[in-house]
Amino acid sequence: MEQMNANPFHGFQLVAVSSSKRMLISTKDTCLKPVAWKDALNASETPVDFSAVQSTLRELAEQGETAVFIDNTSSQAVAEMYPGLLDAGIAVVTPNKKAFSGEVALYQGIVLADAKRGKYLYESTVGAGLPIISTLKDLVETGDKVLKIEGVFSGTMSYIFNNFSAVEGSNESFSSIVKVARAQGYTEPNPADDLNGADVARKLTILARIIPEMKDEQGNFPLLHGYRSVETTSLIQDAPSSAVSNGDEFMKWLPEQDTHFAQMREQAAGEGSVLRYVGVVDVKNKIVKAELAKYPKTHPFATSLGGSDNIIMFHTERYGKRPLIIQGAGAGNDVTAMGVMSDVLKLMRP
Protein backbone atom coordinates (compact mmCIF):
# COMPACT_ATOMS: atom_id res chain seq x y z
CA MET A 1 0.00 0.00 0.00
CA GLU A 2 2.78 2.40 0.92
CA GLN A 3 4.54 1.75 -2.39
CA MET A 4 1.35 2.35 -4.34
CA ASN A 5 0.85 5.62 -2.52
CA ALA A 6 4.48 6.61 -3.06
CA ASN A 7 4.23 6.10 -6.83
CA PRO A 8 1.19 8.09 -7.94
CA PHE A 9 2.45 8.20 -11.51
CA HIS A 10 1.44 4.56 -11.88
CA GLY A 11 -2.19 5.63 -11.52
CA PHE A 12 -3.27 3.05 -8.95
CA GLN A 13 -6.81 3.28 -7.67
CA LEU A 14 -7.59 1.27 -4.56
CA VAL A 15 -10.99 -0.36 -5.09
CA ALA A 16 -11.19 -2.61 -2.04
CA VAL A 17 -9.12 -3.89 0.84
CA SER A 18 -9.98 -6.78 3.11
CA SER A 19 -8.80 -8.67 6.16
CA SER A 20 -10.20 -12.03 7.20
CA LYS A 21 -12.97 -10.32 9.19
CA ARG A 22 -13.85 -7.02 7.56
CA MET A 23 -13.37 -5.05 4.38
CA LEU A 24 -13.56 -1.67 2.71
CA ILE A 25 -14.91 -1.20 -0.77
CA SER A 26 -15.21 1.94 -2.86
CA THR A 27 -18.55 3.15 -4.17
CA LYS A 28 -19.66 5.72 -6.70
CA ASP A 29 -19.49 8.33 -3.96
CA THR A 30 -16.37 7.28 -2.06
CA CYS A 31 -12.85 6.43 -3.14
CA LEU A 32 -10.44 4.60 -0.85
CA LYS A 33 -7.20 6.39 0.04
CA PRO A 34 -4.13 4.14 0.30
CA VAL A 35 -2.52 6.42 2.89
CA ALA A 36 -5.32 5.89 5.43
CA TRP A 37 -6.36 2.33 4.72
CA LYS A 38 -5.28 0.74 8.02
CA ASP A 39 -7.36 2.95 10.30
CA ALA A 40 -10.30 2.85 7.91
CA LEU A 41 -10.22 -0.95 7.70
CA ASN A 42 -10.00 -1.35 11.48
CA ALA A 43 -13.02 0.90 11.86
CA SER A 44 -15.04 -0.81 9.13
CA GLU A 45 -18.19 -2.77 10.00
CA THR A 46 -18.56 -4.21 6.50
CA PRO A 47 -18.26 -8.01 6.47
CA VAL A 48 -16.04 -9.71 3.91
CA ASP A 49 -17.85 -10.21 0.59
CA PHE A 50 -15.52 -11.21 -2.22
CA SER A 51 -18.41 -11.45 -4.67
CA ALA A 52 -18.90 -7.68 -4.29
CA VAL A 53 -15.18 -7.12 -4.89
CA GLN A 54 -15.28 -9.34 -7.96
CA SER A 55 -18.33 -7.50 -9.30
CA THR A 56 -16.63 -4.11 -8.90
CA LEU A 57 -13.43 -5.31 -10.57
CA ARG A 58 -15.41 -6.92 -13.40
CA GLU A 59 -17.08 -3.59 -14.16
CA LEU A 60 -13.67 -1.92 -14.37
CA ALA A 61 -12.33 -4.67 -16.64
CA GLU A 62 -15.35 -4.30 -18.94
CA GLN A 63 -14.56 -0.58 -19.17
CA GLY A 64 -11.08 -1.40 -20.41
CA GLU A 65 -9.29 -0.72 -17.14
CA THR A 66 -6.54 -3.00 -15.80
CA ALA A 67 -8.26 -4.61 -12.83
CA VAL A 68 -6.04 -6.57 -10.43
CA PHE A 69 -7.01 -8.88 -7.57
CA ILE A 70 -4.11 -9.19 -5.09
CA ASP A 71 -4.39 -12.23 -2.83
CA ASN A 72 -2.00 -12.07 0.12
CA THR A 73 -3.67 -14.94 1.96
CA SER A 74 -2.83 -18.63 2.14
CA SER A 75 -6.51 -19.50 1.71
CA GLN A 76 -7.63 -22.42 -0.44
CA ALA A 77 -11.09 -20.85 -0.79
CA VAL A 78 -9.65 -17.63 -2.19
CA ALA A 79 -7.34 -19.59 -4.52
CA GLU A 80 -10.37 -21.36 -5.97
CA MET A 81 -11.72 -17.97 -7.07
CA TYR A 82 -8.90 -17.44 -9.55
CA PRO A 83 -10.44 -19.09 -12.64
CA GLY A 84 -13.60 -17.00 -12.27
CA LEU A 85 -11.61 -13.82 -11.77
CA LEU A 86 -9.39 -14.49 -14.76
CA ASP A 87 -12.34 -15.43 -16.95
CA ALA A 88 -13.87 -12.04 -16.11
CA GLY A 89 -10.74 -10.30 -17.33
CA ILE A 90 -9.42 -9.60 -13.83
CA ALA A 91 -5.69 -10.16 -13.34
CA VAL A 92 -4.46 -12.04 -10.29
CA VAL A 93 -1.24 -11.37 -8.38
CA THR A 94 -0.44 -13.55 -5.38
CA PRO A 95 2.13 -15.20 -3.10
CA ASN A 96 -0.51 -17.86 -2.27
CA LYS A 97 0.89 -21.27 -3.25
CA LYS A 98 -2.40 -23.15 -2.90
CA ALA A 99 -3.76 -22.64 -6.43
CA PHE A 100 -0.55 -23.66 -8.20
CA SER A 101 0.54 -26.56 -6.02
CA GLY A 102 -2.72 -28.38 -5.32
CA GLU A 103 -4.92 -30.63 -7.41
CA VAL A 104 -4.17 -30.35 -11.11
CA ALA A 105 -7.78 -29.54 -12.03
CA LEU A 106 -7.62 -26.12 -10.35
CA TYR A 107 -4.28 -25.37 -11.96
CA GLN A 108 -5.62 -26.33 -15.40
CA GLY A 109 -8.61 -24.07 -14.84
CA ILE A 110 -6.29 -21.16 -14.09
CA VAL A 111 -4.12 -21.79 -17.14
CA LEU A 112 -7.14 -22.04 -19.45
CA ALA A 113 -8.71 -18.88 -18.04
CA ASP A 114 -5.41 -17.03 -18.39
CA ALA A 115 -5.22 -18.01 -22.06
CA LYS A 116 -8.66 -16.46 -22.64
CA ARG A 117 -8.62 -13.12 -20.82
CA GLY A 118 -7.00 -12.48 -17.47
CA LYS A 119 -3.35 -12.72 -16.52
CA TYR A 120 -1.89 -14.21 -13.37
CA LEU A 121 1.51 -13.54 -11.86
CA TYR A 122 2.84 -15.49 -8.89
CA GLU A 123 6.57 -14.81 -8.66
CA SER A 124 6.53 -14.61 -4.86
CA THR A 125 5.12 -18.13 -4.40
CA VAL A 126 8.68 -19.48 -4.73
CA GLY A 127 11.55 -17.59 -3.14
CA ALA A 128 9.56 -14.49 -2.19
CA GLY A 129 11.21 -11.64 -4.14
CA LEU A 130 13.85 -13.79 -5.83
CA PRO A 131 13.39 -14.02 -9.63
CA ILE A 132 12.95 -17.78 -9.72
CA ILE A 133 9.69 -18.27 -11.61
CA SER A 134 10.43 -15.49 -14.10
CA THR A 135 13.89 -16.94 -14.76
CA LEU A 136 12.48 -20.42 -15.33
CA LYS A 137 9.85 -19.06 -17.70
CA ASP A 138 12.47 -17.08 -19.59
CA LEU A 139 14.59 -20.21 -20.00
CA VAL A 140 11.64 -22.24 -21.26
CA GLU A 141 10.18 -19.57 -23.54
CA THR A 142 13.53 -18.86 -25.21
CA GLY A 143 13.99 -22.51 -26.11
CA ASP A 144 16.41 -23.72 -23.46
CA LYS A 145 15.92 -27.26 -22.14
CA VAL A 146 15.76 -27.61 -18.39
CA LEU A 147 17.55 -30.77 -17.25
CA LYS A 148 17.32 -30.39 -13.49
CA ILE A 149 16.43 -27.86 -10.82
CA GLU A 150 17.80 -28.34 -7.34
CA GLY A 151 17.96 -26.04 -4.39
CA VAL A 152 17.37 -25.12 -0.79
CA PHE A 153 13.85 -23.72 -1.08
CA SER A 154 12.92 -23.31 2.58
CA GLY A 155 14.30 -20.43 4.62
CA THR A 156 13.45 -22.37 7.77
CA MET A 157 15.27 -25.52 6.67
CA SER A 158 18.16 -23.41 5.44
CA TYR A 159 18.63 -21.72 8.80
CA ILE A 160 18.33 -24.97 10.74
CA PHE A 161 20.80 -27.01 8.71
CA ASN A 162 23.25 -24.15 8.09
CA ASN A 163 23.66 -24.07 11.86
CA PHE A 164 23.20 -27.74 12.69
CA SER A 165 25.46 -29.12 9.96
CA ALA A 166 27.95 -26.32 9.36
CA VAL A 167 31.06 -26.69 7.22
CA GLU A 168 33.22 -25.83 10.22
CA GLY A 169 31.35 -28.32 12.39
CA SER A 170 28.78 -27.98 15.17
CA ASN A 171 27.96 -29.69 18.45
CA GLU A 172 24.57 -28.08 18.99
CA SER A 173 21.57 -30.37 19.23
CA PHE A 174 18.93 -30.35 16.53
CA SER A 175 16.14 -29.42 18.95
CA SER A 176 18.09 -26.49 20.40
CA ILE A 177 18.60 -24.99 16.95
CA VAL A 178 14.92 -25.42 16.09
CA LYS A 179 14.08 -23.74 19.41
CA VAL A 180 16.20 -20.72 18.50
CA ALA A 181 14.74 -20.62 14.98
CA ARG A 182 11.25 -20.62 16.42
CA ALA A 183 12.08 -17.85 18.90
CA GLN A 184 13.51 -15.70 16.10
CA GLY A 185 10.46 -16.18 13.89
CA TYR A 186 12.14 -18.36 11.26
CA THR A 187 9.59 -21.15 11.72
CA GLU A 188 5.84 -21.42 11.80
CA PRO A 189 4.30 -21.24 15.31
CA ASN A 190 4.42 -25.02 15.14
CA PRO A 191 7.77 -26.00 13.57
CA ALA A 192 6.22 -29.30 12.53
CA ASP A 193 4.61 -27.37 9.67
CA ASP A 194 8.10 -26.61 8.33
CA LEU A 195 9.83 -29.88 9.13
CA ASN A 196 7.26 -32.04 7.34
CA GLY A 197 8.64 -30.83 3.97
CA ALA A 198 5.25 -29.82 2.56
CA ASP A 199 6.29 -26.22 1.88
CA VAL A 200 9.23 -27.38 -0.24
CA ALA A 201 6.98 -29.88 -2.03
CA ARG A 202 4.55 -27.09 -2.94
CA LYS A 203 7.33 -24.96 -4.42
CA LEU A 204 8.64 -27.89 -6.45
CA THR A 205 5.15 -28.53 -7.81
CA ILE A 206 4.87 -24.93 -8.95
CA LEU A 207 8.18 -25.11 -10.82
CA ALA A 208 7.63 -28.58 -12.31
CA ARG A 209 4.36 -27.51 -13.88
CA ILE A 210 6.12 -24.74 -15.82
CA ILE A 211 8.47 -27.17 -17.59
CA PRO A 212 6.95 -28.58 -20.81
CA GLU A 213 9.03 -31.77 -20.66
CA MET A 214 7.44 -32.66 -17.33
CA LYS A 215 4.07 -33.22 -19.03
CA ASP A 216 3.05 -36.74 -19.98
CA GLU A 217 2.58 -38.04 -23.52
CA GLN A 218 -0.99 -36.70 -23.59
CA GLY A 219 0.19 -33.23 -22.62
CA ASN A 220 -1.17 -33.38 -19.07
CA PHE A 221 0.43 -31.34 -16.34
CA PRO A 222 2.54 -33.34 -13.86
CA LEU A 223 1.76 -34.16 -10.24
CA LEU A 224 -1.95 -34.96 -10.42
CA HIS A 225 -2.45 -34.34 -6.72
CA GLY A 226 -0.04 -31.45 -6.50
CA TYR A 227 2.42 -31.37 -3.63
CA ARG A 228 0.98 -34.61 -2.29
CA SER A 229 2.38 -36.33 -5.39
CA VAL A 230 5.93 -35.18 -4.60
CA GLU A 231 8.29 -37.72 -3.02
CA THR A 232 8.70 -35.91 0.30
CA THR A 233 10.91 -36.87 3.21
CA SER A 234 9.29 -35.68 6.42
CA LEU A 235 11.63 -35.02 9.32
CA ILE A 236 8.83 -35.62 11.81
CA GLN A 237 7.26 -38.83 10.53
CA ASP A 238 7.55 -40.42 13.99
CA ALA A 239 5.92 -37.52 15.81
CA PRO A 240 2.77 -38.28 17.81
CA SER A 241 -0.43 -36.56 16.69
CA SER A 242 -0.44 -34.36 19.79
CA ALA A 243 2.95 -32.92 18.80
CA VAL A 244 2.01 -32.39 15.16
CA SER A 245 -1.06 -30.36 16.14
CA ASN A 246 0.49 -28.20 18.89
CA GLY A 247 3.70 -26.21 18.71
CA ASP A 248 4.53 -26.37 22.41
CA GLU A 249 3.91 -30.11 22.52
CA PHE A 250 6.07 -30.52 19.43
CA MET A 251 8.99 -28.73 21.07
CA LYS A 252 8.68 -31.00 24.11
CA TRP A 253 8.84 -34.08 21.86
CA LEU A 254 11.61 -32.94 19.51
CA PRO A 255 14.61 -33.58 21.84
CA GLU A 256 13.80 -37.29 21.56
CA GLN A 257 15.10 -37.04 17.98
CA ASP A 258 18.41 -35.37 18.81
CA THR A 259 20.41 -38.59 18.83
CA HIS A 260 19.04 -39.60 15.44
CA PHE A 261 19.96 -36.28 13.83
CA ALA A 262 23.36 -36.20 15.55
CA GLN A 263 24.19 -39.60 14.05
CA MET A 264 23.21 -38.37 10.59
CA ARG A 265 25.40 -35.29 11.02
CA GLU A 266 28.34 -37.39 12.20
CA GLN A 267 28.03 -39.76 9.25
CA ALA A 268 27.90 -36.87 6.78
CA ALA A 269 30.91 -35.17 8.39
CA GLY A 270 32.86 -38.42 8.16
CA GLU A 271 32.29 -38.36 4.41
CA GLY A 272 33.36 -34.71 4.14
CA SER A 273 29.77 -33.59 3.66
CA VAL A 274 27.03 -31.54 5.27
CA LEU A 275 23.27 -32.08 5.52
CA ARG A 276 20.88 -29.89 3.55
CA TYR A 277 17.15 -30.17 3.02
CA VAL A 278 16.75 -29.80 -0.73
CA GLY A 279 14.18 -29.95 -3.45
CA VAL A 280 14.90 -31.54 -6.82
CA VAL A 281 13.06 -31.53 -10.14
CA ASP A 282 14.80 -34.17 -12.27
CA VAL A 283 13.33 -33.55 -15.71
CA LYS A 284 15.09 -36.40 -17.50
CA ASN A 285 13.70 -39.01 -15.13
CA LYS A 286 10.54 -37.05 -14.29
CA ILE A 287 11.23 -37.26 -10.59
CA VAL A 288 10.23 -34.54 -8.15
CA LYS A 289 11.44 -34.98 -4.59
CA ALA A 290 12.08 -33.10 -1.34
CA GLU A 291 14.65 -34.74 0.91
CA LEU A 292 17.42 -34.40 3.44
CA ALA A 293 20.60 -35.01 1.46
CA LYS A 294 24.38 -34.93 1.89
CA TYR A 295 26.49 -32.44 -0.09
CA PRO A 296 30.28 -32.09 -0.15
CA LYS A 297 31.66 -29.29 1.99
CA THR A 298 32.90 -27.64 -1.21
CA HIS A 299 29.44 -27.53 -2.78
CA PRO A 300 27.65 -24.13 -3.05
CA PHE A 301 24.83 -25.50 -0.86
CA ALA A 302 27.46 -25.91 1.86
CA THR A 303 29.63 -22.83 1.33
CA SER A 304 27.35 -20.12 -0.05
CA LEU A 305 24.38 -20.16 2.30
CA GLY A 306 23.99 -17.95 5.32
CA GLY A 307 21.12 -17.37 7.70
CA SER A 308 17.85 -18.35 6.04
CA ASP A 309 18.94 -17.84 2.43
CA ASN A 310 17.47 -19.79 -0.46
CA ILE A 311 19.70 -21.04 -3.28
CA ILE A 312 18.45 -22.55 -6.53
CA MET A 313 20.46 -24.11 -9.36
CA PHE A 314 19.12 -24.40 -12.90
CA HIS A 315 20.88 -27.11 -14.90
CA THR A 316 19.98 -26.62 -18.57
CA GLU A 317 21.42 -27.29 -22.01
CA ARG A 318 22.72 -23.72 -22.18
CA TYR A 319 23.93 -23.71 -18.59
CA GLY A 320 25.45 -27.17 -18.72
CA LYS A 321 28.95 -26.93 -17.29
CA ARG A 322 28.13 -24.13 -14.85
CA PRO A 323 24.51 -24.04 -13.63
CA LEU A 324 22.60 -20.79 -13.35
CA ILE A 325 22.38 -19.95 -9.63
CA ILE A 326 19.96 -17.63 -7.84
CA GLN A 327 20.55 -16.94 -4.18
CA GLY A 328 19.25 -14.62 -1.49
CA ALA A 329 16.60 -14.08 1.13
CA GLY A 330 13.71 -16.33 0.22
CA ALA A 331 11.32 -15.42 3.02
CA GLY A 332 10.18 -12.38 4.98
CA ASN A 333 7.51 -9.73 4.70
CA ASP A 334 9.65 -7.12 2.92
CA VAL A 335 11.00 -9.34 0.15
CA THR A 336 7.64 -11.07 -0.35
CA ALA A 337 5.93 -7.68 -0.66
CA MET A 338 8.59 -6.68 -3.19
CA GLY A 339 7.79 -9.74 -5.29
CA VAL A 340 4.06 -8.96 -5.20
CA MET A 341 4.57 -5.29 -6.02
CA SER A 342 6.92 -6.16 -8.87
CA ASP A 343 4.24 -8.37 -10.41
CA VAL A 344 1.67 -5.58 -10.11
CA LEU A 345 4.01 -3.17 -11.87
CA LYS A 346 4.53 -5.68 -14.69
CA LEU A 347 0.79 -5.59 -15.32
CA MET A 348 0.84 -1.80 -15.43
CA ARG A 349 3.51 -1.61 -18.09
CA PRO A 350 2.34 -1.27 -21.69
Side-chain angles (χ1 to χ4, degrees):
M1 292 291 190
E2 287 76 11
Q3 283 296 310
M4 290 182 180
N5 189 55
N7 293 280
F9 58 88
H10 289 303
F12 293 115
Q13 179 183 342
L14 186 60
V15 174
V17 60
S18 172
S19 67
S20 60
K21 298 179 179 179
R22 55 182 64 91
M23 76 174 194
L24 294 169
I25 189 166
S26 62
T27 66
K28 294 181 180 178
D29 302 317
T30 62
C31 181
L32 302 184
K33 297 180 179 180
V35 71
W37 71 272
K38 286 185 179 179
D39 291 339
L41 180 60
N42 289 333
S44 175
E45 297 182 356
T46 304
V48 177
D49 181 3
F50 286 130
S51 63
V53 176
Q54 185 168 346
S55 177
T56 300
L57 291 174
R58 183 186 295 109
E59 290 179 10
L60 291 170
E62 290 173 349
Q63 295 167 14
E65 301 286 351
T66 300
V68 185
F69 182 87
I70 304 173
D71 172 23
N72 288 322
T73 75
S74 59
S75 166
Q76 180 67 37
V78 177
E80 290 175 357
M81 294 171 55
Y82 295 177
L85 290 164
L86 294 166
D87 197 49
I90 302 165
V92 173
V93 170
T94 184
N96 186 351
K97 303 178 189 67
K98 297 288 176 66
F100 312 101
S101 62
E103 296 293 319
V104 76
L106 175 57
Y107 183 73
Q108 287 177 323
I110 292 170
V111 172
L112 290 174
D114 171 80
K116 294 178 182 177
R117 296 193 63 185
K119 297 295 179 185
Y120 65 93
L121 294 172
Y122 55 111
E123 183 71 71
S124 48
T125 58
V126 181
L130 296 177
I132 296 172
I133 289 177
S134 56
T135 297
L136 177 57
K137 287 187 173 182
D138 285 346
L139 291 169
V140 169
E141 291 171 4
T142 58
D144 201 355
K145 299 296 183 183
V146 179
L147 307 176
K148 183 169 74 171
I149 301 172
E150 61 179 329
V152 176
F153 290 91
S154 165
T156 302
M157 294 289 205
S158 180
Y159 176 87
I160 291 171
F161 285 101
N162 289 343
N163 287 277
F164 177 71
S165 184
V167 171
E168 63 274 14
S170 171
N171 292 317
E172 292 187 68
S173 68
F174 186 76
S175 63
S176 67
I177 291 174
V178 174
K179 182 178 180 180
V180 172
R182 187 189 190 209
Q184 295 184 355
Y186 286 120
T187 75
E188 296 292 332
N190 186 350
D193 295 333
D194 297 294
L195 299 179
N196 62 13
D199 178 67
V200 175
R202 284 191 180 276
K203 293 170 182 176
L204 294 174
T205 302
I206 291 169
L207 297 180
R209 286 175 171 173
I210 296 172
I211 303 171
E213 288 79 10
M214 288 299 293
K215 293 181 178 180
D216 64 20
E217 294 179 355
Q218 288 72 43
N220 299 312
F221 288 109
L223 305 170
L224 180 63
H225 300 297
Y227 77 100
R228 293 185 178 87
S229 299
V230 174
E231 297 177 20
T232 305
T233 300
S234 171
L235 302 185
I236 59 163
Q237 56 188 1
D238 297 326
S241 58
S242 59
V244 172
S245 60
N246 182 281
D248 292 335
E249 291 299 317
F250 179 79
M251 293 308 300
K252 292 178 183 178
W253 167 82
L254 191 58
E256 297 179 18
Q257 304 300 305
D258 283 343
T259 300
H260 166 68
F261 283 106
Q263 290 173 344
M264 294 179 67
R265 175 175 61 190
E266 183 178 353
Q267 180 183 9
E271 299 173 8
S273 299
V274 296
L275 298 172
R276 296 292 182 263
Y277 196 93
V278 298
V280 178
V281 179
D282 182 343
V283 180
K284 180 180 179 180
N285 297 301
K286 293 192 175 180
I287 295 173
V288 185
K289 60 183 178 180
E291 63 179 354
L292 185 61
K294 291 180 284 188
Y295 282 86
K297 290 183 178 181
T298 55
H299 193 279
F301 291 0
T303 61
S304 298
L305 288 172
S308 59
D309 278 1
N310 285 183
I311 184 169
I312 291 86
M313 286 183 169
F314 293 94
H315 301 265
T316 74
E317 287 187 351
R318 290 183 192 143
Y319 294 91
K321 295 181 180 179
R322 295 171 60 85
L324 172 60
I325 299 176
I326 297 175
Q327 178 184 349
N333 292 338
D334 289 346
V335 289
T336 301
M338 182 195 77
V340 172
M341 187 64 186
S342 177
D343 278 348
V344 173
L345 293 176
K346 289 173 185 174
L347 290 170
M348 299 295 107
R349 296 177 187 135

